[in-house]
Amino acid sequence: MNVAVWEAVRRRPDRFLLSLWPLRAWAFLLSGTVLGALLLVVLALLLFAGIGLSVVGIGLLVLTGVAVTGVPVAALERRRMRLVEPVPLADPHGSLPGTGALPWLRTRLKERATWRELSYTLLFAVVFTALGLGFTALLALSAILLVTPVIVWAIAPDTVMLVPGQPISHPAGALPGTLAGLVGLVCAAYVGALLAGAQVRAAQFLLSAREEDLGSRVIELTRSRARLVDAFEAERRRIERDLHDGAQQQLVALTMTLGLAELELRGQDSPVLALITRARGEARQALEQLRNLVRGIHPQVLTDHGLAAAVAELALRNPVPVTVDIELPGRLPAPVENMAYFTVTEALTNAAKYSGADEVVVHARLEREQLVLVVSDDGRGGADPSAGSGLQGLADRVAILKGRLIVTSPVGGPTRLRVEVPCSA
């Protein structure tokens, strides 16, 4: 990673002095010196308190606090770095498994980034604070020498001695001091850039996210999304069970009751008979819609007989003729079967609603332990995943299983949807 302040000096050393970079470096170093001195005092107090209280058992808790001191310090430093580094440092920490101090402490102590941040905190409090104090002295001395004529004029008739034994009683005699102060400020500009860049480089090495941190966060995110999918599938099955065992059975009972009432009134000249007949027909229609809904949530044939049978049943109900060509050596993992089924469902729904197709072909094979599912139609094409057609949701479901979705749909057709998902454990 590049260091912006070093790059500014390297590109145009002469223009560097006339830019805002020296002031930014000075502000960074001076604020860091104050912060580092306070941090050094706090660390020393905590360390001594932890050692002193270790005899009564509280010291371990205090020393644990010292271990995680680097976390807030690093967060502040990543913000303070913006004074001299326009590219922000990425936070290396992952998300927390829960709320509260104990989960936070347990998670942070397990992360390597926490210990790197503690190393930076100690380096910052000791080494960079000492260098900052020396730089502050150089900057202060240069500033005083620069305004020496003003000081001589202000305290006249008293005298000022820049060199022992050589008093200066007139402002003009202090002009060499002004020249020395100007040289000192020029040196402070380049020295400040050097020190600020060194601290930025140390922060980039110790405070920024590394590949191992990002890799663990990707794994964590993948597991989190997989848990969400599992929870969604469990909730969907619960809804299916409740509809099947609850509302569906009640509608069946209602239809039977209305049928019995219709039989009782048949042959009688009663206006209620027509209403009961109509109510029974509407109840049958509601029952059929509910069955279709339950079947759409999670078809039982998919659980009992697998993907090929479920897609074949789905094809029979589709308004557009569907040719099913699925040959698999056996049952697929349940998540893969669910994903494949609902991919076909979404593709057939889109084909019936938008494509104007005359035929849809569903083709699936297992190639090198990878399910290759292709759904193609001869419609007008022009399918856009960003247009709310459900393809984006399918892509997310496929990505969770480490697969990929490829949609080819030129204007005029045909539309071809290809899904590749690994099936191995």
Side-chain angles (χ1 to χ4, degrees):
M1 297 178 66
N2 294 328
V3 178
V5 65
W6 286 354
E7 288 294 318
V9 176
R10 184 184 61 82
R11 286 196 304 265
R12 296 300 297 270
D14 51 343
R15 290 192 178 183
F16 174 80
L17 294 174
L18 302 178
S19 66
L20 292 177
W21 277 110
L23 296 179
R24 294 170 64 176
W26 294 349
F28 176 75
L29 291 173
L30 294 178
S31 62
T33 301
V34 175
L35 179 62
L38 294 175
L39 182 61
L40 185 61
V41 173
V42 171
L43 287 175
L45 291 177
L46 288 176
L47 187 59
F48 287 134
I51 296 175
L53 295 174
S54 59
V55 294
V56 294
I58 307 177
L60 181 61
L61 182 61
V62 178
L63 293 176
T64 303
V66 174
V68 295
T69 303
V71 176
V73 172
L76 178 60
E77 282 295 282
R78 278 189 283 269
R79 289 179 174 272
R80 206 172 61 84
M81 289 289 165
R82 300 302 296 274
L83 285 171
V84 291
E85 187 59 40
V87 179
L89 299 180
D91 190 348
H93 294 290
S95 58
L96 297 174
T99 58
L102 189 58
W104 182 90
L105 187 63
R106 186 185 301 115
T107 302
R108 294 297 177 251
L109 288 177
K110 292 180 180 178
E111 294 175 328
R112 295 182 180 180
T114 300
W115 302 102
R116 295 199 305 267
E117 289 172 343
L118 179 61
S119 300
Y120 175 85
T121 300
L122 297 176
L123 182 67
F124 174 48
V126 178
V127 177
F128 287 117
T129 299
L131 294 174
L133 289 173
F135 173 78
T136 302
L138 171 63
L139 189 61
L141 178 60
S142 300
I144 292 173
L145 289 175
L146 185 65
V147 297
T148 301
V150 178
I151 297 175
V152 172
W153 171 79
I155 67 173
D158 295 333
T159 59
V160 175
M161 286 190 298
L162 296 179
V163 179
Q166 298 182 11
I168 302 174
S169 58
H170 193 273
L175 290 178
T178 300
L179 180 60
L182 186 60
V183 174
L185 289 178
V186 172
C187 293
Y190 291 108
V191 172
L194 176 64
L195 295 179
Q199 191 166 347
V200 168
R201 178 54 62 87
Q204 289 174 345
F205 179 71
L206 294 173
L207 300 186
S208 61
R210 297 183 179 181
E211 290 186 3
E212 60 189 38
D213 302 319
L214 297 177
S216 63
R217 292 168 71 173
V218 169
I219 293 173
E220 178 185 353
L221 178 60
T222 303
R223 289 175 178 172
S224 176
R225 294 178 66 180
R227 287 194 297 267
L228 287 176
V229 171
D230 292 340
F232 174 74
E233 292 293 335
E235 183 66 14
R236 187 169 62 182
R237 289 176 181 272
R238 184 191 66 79
I239 294 173
E240 174 202 6
R241 184 175 60 254
D242 291 345
L243 289 175
H244 184 273
D245 299 338
Q248 185 170 320
Q249 298 303 321
Q250 291 178 2
L251 279 175
V252 171
L254 175 61
T255 304
M256 295 178 63
T257 302
L258 290 173
L260 292 175
E262 185 181 10
L263 289 175
E264 289 291 333
L265 294 175
R266 184 168 296 175
Q268 301 181 17
D269 187 13
S270 173
V272 180
L273 179 60
L275 293 176
I276 292 178
T277 303
R278 178 182 174 184
R280 186 186 178 196
E282 292 178 351
R284 267 201 306 265
Q285 184 179 3
L287 180 61
E288 184 63 27
Q289 291 177 352
L290 183 60
R291 284 173 176 168
N292 291 334
L293 176 62
V294 172
R295 191 183 298 113
I297 291 176
H298 190 87
Q300 189 63 34
V301 65
L302 179 63
T303 303
D304 295 339
H305 302 288
L307 180 64
V311 172
E313 184 187 60
L314 186 64
L316 294 176
R317 305 194 309 268
N318 196 67
V320 179
V322 180
T323 300
V324 179
D325 180 20
I326 299 179
E327 294 184 7
L328 301 173
R331 294 294 301 269
L332 302 176
V336 177
E337 279 192 342
N338 292 335
M339 181 278 305
Y341 177 81
F342 288 105
T343 298
V344 174
T345 302
E346 184 68 28
L348 294 183
T349 301
N350 288 343
K353 285 185 177 180
Y354 309 115
S355 71
D358 296 324
E359 184 184 13
V360 181
V361 177
V362 180
H363 175 90
R365 293 290 189 275
L366 193 64
E367 301 177 3
R368 296 186 297 274
E369 296 192 7
Q370 178 176 261
L371 173 65
V372 178
L373 173 67
V374 179
V375 183
S376 57
D377 64 65
D378 57 356
R380 65 178 64 96
D384 184 4
S386 63
S389 59
L391 295 177
Q392 186 61 53
L394 289 180
D396 293 339
R397 293 177 66 95
V398 172
I400 292 174
L401 300 178
K402 298 182 180 180
R404 63 174 182 168
L405 172 68
I406 304 172
V407 179
T408 305
S409 183
V411 177
T415 297
R416 188 171 184 267
L417 185 149
R418 179 183 175 95
V419 175
E420 299 175 358
V421 180
C423 298
S424 59

